[in-house]
Structure formats: C-alpha cells, structure tokens
Amino acid sequence: MAWRFALVIDPAAAGDARTDFGDTFTPIDVAAPALSVGEMSTQRGDGIFESIGVVDRHAQEVGPHLDRLAHSARLCDLPAPHLEQWRQAVAIAAEHCPPEGEAVIKLILSRGVEHGPTPTAWVTAAEAPDNSAVRDRGIRVVTLDRGYGIDTPARAPWLLLGAKTLSYAVNMAAIREAKRRGADDAVFISSDGFVLEAPTASLILRIDGRFVTPAPNGGILHGTTQLSLFAHLEEGGSETAYETIPVTDLEKADAAWLVSSVRLAAPIRAVDGRELAVDAELTASFNRYLLTPRD
C-alpha cells in the first residue's frame, strides 16, 4: 500500500518572531476525515497550493515554492503565510518520506470555513508517480485555446491568472481533452495566438540554439523548475530568454520540453500531430540536474 503523511497547520501571523513553530503542527491520520463540510477549499476551490518534488528525502527548491505561495496569497487576498512556519512544516513532511526515491509534498492554504475566523492550512506527502517513461520517450501535446487574450491578466486581475489556486477544474479538463485528441498533454494558447503554458507545467523551446519560454506577463504561472533549469543552462553558457511567443513559432523549435516539479523535464515529441525531434542526450542531462539536491 502506498504511504502518505499529512500535517495540519495552525497558521501563524506573518510578523510572528518565533523560530520554532512545532506547537502549530498536528499530524493527522490520512485515512480519517479532516475537513469541515463548510470548508471553502472544497466548496469553492477558494485557496492556493504548491507541489514540491522530493528526491531522497530532500525537498527541492523550497524557497522559490514558498515565494510563489506568498505571491498567490497576495493575488487571492489571503493572509500572508508565515514562510518560516511553512518551511518547518515542509522539513517535517520530508523527514517522513522514504530515504530513497521520489515523493511529492503539497502545501495547501484555504480561506477556511465559511464565516470562520482563520484560514485552513495543511501539508501532505506522498509517493510520486513513476515518470521515468515520459522523461525518456517524451510526450505528444495539442494546443488548446485558453479563451483570453495575452493582455487579459493586466485588464482583469480579479481573474487570478498567474496564481496557483485550488480551482484546477479547467486544467484537468484540458488534459482530458488532449487525451481525447490522442495526445498526452496540452499547451494553452491565448485567443490572439500566443503560446502560454501547459495545464500543470511550463514550456521551454529551443529555437536557433536559444532556450526560450513564454514571458510571465500573460497570466502564466512562473515555474520554479523552469527558473532552476534556466539558471543551470546559463551557468553552462547557453542563452535563455523570456519572450512573447506567437503560436507560429512552435514550428521553429527544434526541441521542446514541458517541465514541472514532479514530472521534471518531459521532451515533446509531437505538437498537434507534427513530429518534433527529441534531444535524448540533452533531456537526460536536464533530468540528472533536476534530480540533484536543489535549495
């Protein structure tokens, strides 16, 4: 039976000067009921989350994930999470992961119970799915219209585009649609023809020797794995860039990847039925790097 671990957090105020938050954590039985029926995360998807990859009990890129959690909280008008409290909760969850292999830690911050006084927060840890096959053989993707223009996030910030919210119904529907079309995943495009991101991953293209990703100004979630991989590429002398990429530029790419915290780097081998070359050697080097301890 697959293992799991869960920890409820009593959220601390962001200005709390304590260094030990152990008394704010309560381990819970993952098989037992834990949420109230009035919980806003389940009623309305009103909350935010992060998924952190774990390798051999080392939680990867914790700092960037916590920074993004705080960013999402600001966008959603949630109380600012006390980052040191969350960091300690992640460390406890990591200690409960197996000493070898991959796992995933999820951080969830909800608006709480309807009309309640405080948010609800918890952390879970579980075995990660086996992504070795998609890292090796690659994936087929289709482009799907996201339904808004590249300038929509600036004109309508209340849509919360760019926040990692619990409202993932559209993202999951997009993946199901991609599978109905015979693909493995999707890449969103704006209604005015620009490349955005995948439902659960960032997109990286190699065009004329440069590595480019869509600029995070069109409601794109800034990917922690993409940021780390770009830093790695820059250290190796490669050129990286954030650009507003027309969908027509997908045909110019000689290689492409979807990257995320748990799946890591999955090479794209077809876009809308058009075959794309897979750089197996480079992909393997990406994943070797992404499987090393990263803070």
Side-chain angles (χ1 to χ4, degrees), residues 25-99:
F25 306 139
T26 305
I28 59 173
D29 181 352
V30 296
L35 294 177
S36 166
V37 293
E39 170 60 42
M40 301 297 283
S41 62
T42 54
Q43 285 195 15
R44 297 180 180 175
D46 193 357
I48 58 177
F49 79 102
E50 284 290 322
S51 296
I52 300 177
V54 181
V55 179
D56 300 339
R57 275 194 184 148
H58 184 277
Q60 303 279 59
E61 304 283 356
V62 175
H65 278 288
L66 293 180
D67 289 343
R68 195 167 64 180
L69 186 76
H71 173 71
S72 294
R74 287 193 297 272
L75 291 179
C76 295
D77 294 322
L78 286 165
H82 195 298
L83 298 190
E84 179 56 30
Q85 181 189 35
W86 285 86
R87 188 183 302 276
Q88 291 180 24
V90 170
I92 293 172
E95 289 173 0
H96 284 80
C97 295

Side-chain angles (χ1 to χ4, degrees), residues 213-229:
T213 193
N217 58 4
I220 293 173
L221 189 70
H222 210 162
T224 57
T225 305
Q226 172 267 311
L227 283 165
S228 182
L229 193 53

Side-chain angles (χ1 to χ4, degrees), residues 163-186:
K164 195 171 179 68
T165 72
L166 293 171
S167 305
Y168 252 47
V170 170
N171 303 61
M172 298 300 99
I175 293 175
R176 291 194 298 272
E177 177 61 22
K179 291 181 177 179
R180 278 192 287 268
R181 299 186 185 194
D184 305 296
D185 211 329

Side-chain angles (χ1 to χ4, degrees), residues 5-6 9-10 20 32 47 94 109 120 129 136 141 154 165 182 187 192-193 225 286:
F5 172 78
I9 300 175
D10 181 8
D20 184 358
L109 176 61
T120 305
D136 290 339
V141 304
T165 72
V187 171
D192 44 358
T225 305
F286 284 174

Side-chain angles (χ1 to χ4, degrees), residues 3 5 14 28 30 38 98 110 119 125 135 138 153 164 182 198 204-205 240 246 278:
W3 65 271
F5 172 78
I28 59 173
V30 296
S110 157
R135 293 171 190 167
K164 195 171 179 68
I204 295 176
L205 305 174
T240 66
V278 170

